[in-house]
C-alpha cells in the first residue's frame, strides 16, 4: 500500500505556482483573489484562513469581504458585480455556507464565469461536462491530479464515487469520464452499496460520515480517495474511510488530514493563476 501524500504534492504545486506568479508580476500582472464571507461560520473561518495563507505563500494578493449575517441579496449581488468589474481582481470566491435567507445559486450565477475560480458557475459546470477548457471545481481537480501524480491508471478503470454533491461527487463524474474511466455514482438511496463499491478500481468517498467505508466494502488493490472531513467531539479529524481496515487492502490511499484537503487549496491557487492569465490575453 502506498500513501498518497496530498500535503507534499500540494507543496510542490504551490512552489511551481509561485514561479508562475513571479513571471506574471514581471509583466505587470499581480494576481488577486477576492473572498466573500457572509456571517461568521466558524468552520468557514478556518477554510478562509488556509486560503489566505496559500495566497500569501505563492505571492497572490488576497482581499476578504466580510458581510454581516443580515446582508440582503441585493447587497451581496451588488458586491459581486463590483468585484466582477474590478480589473485588478482575477478570482472571486463566495465561501459557503451563507445564511439561509440568501440564495446561494443566484449568487454563484452572478459571478463572472471567467473569475469563478471555484468552478461552481453553470457555465463552468456545463463546459466541464462538454470536456471544454474551464475552471474545474477544486476538490475533484485535486483528486485527478493526485491519481495522475501517483500513476494510478484512470483510463478504463472502474471508478466508484460515494456522494453526489454539486461540489465533489457530480463534477468528479465528468472529470473521471473525461479521463476515460467507467464511472458509477452512489448515494443514500443506492441499494447494495457494498456490492458496487467492491467492483471499484478507484473508490472515492465524499459522504461526510466518519469511517463509513469499511474493509469489507473494498476489493484488494483498490486506490482509495477519502474526501471526508469529520471532526469528533474530542476535536480529532476523521475521514469517511476506516483507514486501519481499508489500508490493509488498498493499493493507494489518502490520509485524513493531509490528503485531499491540501490538494483542494492547491487547485484553487492553480485556478487563480489561470484566471490571472486571462488578463494577459486581453
Ligand atoms: P454532502 O453532505 O453535500 O453530500 C453527502 C453525500 O453523501 C450525499 O450525496 C448523500 O446522498 C451521500 N450519503 C449520505 N449517506 C450515505 C449513505 N449511507 N450511503 C451512501 N451515500 C450516502 O457532501 P459534500 O460532498 O459537501 O462533503 C462530503 C464530505 O467531504 C464532508 O465530510 C465534507 O466535509 C468533505 N469535504 C472535503 C473537502 C476537502 O477539501 N477535503 C471539500 C468538500 C467536502 P444523498 O444525495 O442521497 O443525500
Amino acid at each position: 500500500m502506498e500513501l498518497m501524500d496530498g500535503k507534499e504534492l500540494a507543496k510542490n504545486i504551490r512552489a511551481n505556482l509561485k514561479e508562475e506568479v513571479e513571471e506574471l508580476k514581471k509583466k505587470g500582472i499581480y494576481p488577486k483573489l477576492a473572498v466573500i464571507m457572509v456571517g461568521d461560520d466558524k468552520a468557514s473561518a478556518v477554510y478562509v484562513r488556509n486560503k489566505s495563507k496559500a495566497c500569501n505563500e505563492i505571492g497572490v494578493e488576497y482581499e476578504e469581504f466580510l458581510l454581516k449575517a443580515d446582508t440582503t441579496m441585493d447587497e451581496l449581488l451588488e458586491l459581486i458585480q463590483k468585484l466582477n468589474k474590478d480589473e485588478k481582481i482575477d478570482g472571486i470566491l463566495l465561501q459557503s455556507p451563507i445564511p439561509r435567507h440568501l440564495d446561494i445559486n443566484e449568487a454563484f450565477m452572478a459571478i463572472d464565469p471567467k473569475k469563478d475560480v471555484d468552478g461552481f458557475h453553470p457555465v463552468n459546470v456545463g463546459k466541464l461536462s462538454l470536456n471544454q477548457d474551464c475552471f474545474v471545481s477544486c476538490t475533484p481537480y485535486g483528486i485527478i491530479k493526485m491519481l495522475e501524480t501517483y500513476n494510478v491508471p484512470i483510463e478504463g478503470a472502474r471508478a466508484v464515487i460515494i456522494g453526489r454533491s454539486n461540489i465533489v461527487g457530480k463534477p468528479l463524474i465528468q472529470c473521471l469520464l473525461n479521463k476515460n474511466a467507467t464511472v458509477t455514482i452512489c448515494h443514500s438511496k443506492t441499494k447494495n452499496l457494498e456490492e458496487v463499491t467492491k467492483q471499484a478500481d478507484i473508490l472515492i468517498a465524499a459522504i461526510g460520515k466518519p469511517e463509513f467505508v469499511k474493509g469489507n466494502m473494498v476489493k484488494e488493490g483498490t486506490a482509495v480517495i477519502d474526501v471526508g472531513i469529520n471532526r469528533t467531539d474530542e476535536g480529532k479529524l476523521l475521514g469517511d474511510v476506516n483507514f486501519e481496515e481499508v489500508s490493509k487492502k488498498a493499493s493507494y490511499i489518502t490520509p485524513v488530514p493531509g490528503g485531499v484537503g491540501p490538494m483542494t487549496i492547491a487547485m484553487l491557487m492553480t485556478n487563480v493563476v489561470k484566471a490571472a492569465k486571462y488578463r494577459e490575453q486581453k
Side-chain angles (χ1 to χ4, degrees), residues 29-43:
I29 296 170
Y30 289 74
K32 181 167 177 180
L33 174 66
V35 171
I36 306 171
M37 257 176 80
V38 191
D40 54 1
D41 183 76
K42 284 207 179 72

Side-chain angles (χ1 to χ4, degrees), residues 139 162-165 167-168 187-188 193 206-209 212 227-230 240 260-261 264:
T139 303
I162 319 177
R164 56 174 162 181
S165 70
I167 60 166
V168 186
H187 44 78
S188 66
L193 181 66
I207 312 158
K209 293 195 169 158
F212 181 91
V227 182
I229 304 177
N230 308 287
D240 287 346
V260 175
T264 297

Side-chain angles (χ1 to χ4, degrees), residues 27-74:
K27 295 174 192 159
I29 296 170
Y30 289 74
K32 181 167 177 180
L33 174 66
V35 171
I36 306 171
M37 257 176 80
V38 191
D40 54 1
D41 183 76
K42 284 207 179 72
S44 294
V46 176
Y47 295 140
V48 163
R49 200 162 53 237
N50 288 338
K51 289 167 189 174
S52 96
K53 254 171 69 184
C55 283
N56 253 325
E57 190 186 325
I58 67 165
V60 163
E61 291 179 14
Y62 174 90
E63 191 170 353
E64 226 165 78
F65 296 83
L66 301 174
L67 301 182
K68 284 190 264 157
D70 61 358
T71 296
T72 64
M73 196 64 206
D74 283 346

Side-chain angles (χ1 to χ4, degrees), residues 28 38 50 54 58 62 66 89 106 109 112 115-116 126 129 139 141 146 148 156 169-171 175 203 225 227 269 274:
V38 191
N50 288 338
I58 67 165
Y62 174 90
L66 301 174
I89 286 174
E106 194 185 343
M109 286 262 278
D112 180 345
K115 296 190 176 189
D116 170 40
S129 77
T139 303
Y141 193 8
M146 207 148 41
E148 288 183 335
K170 283 187 204 157
C175 293
L203 179 65
I225 307 276
V227 182
M269 294 302 116
K274 180 185 170 87

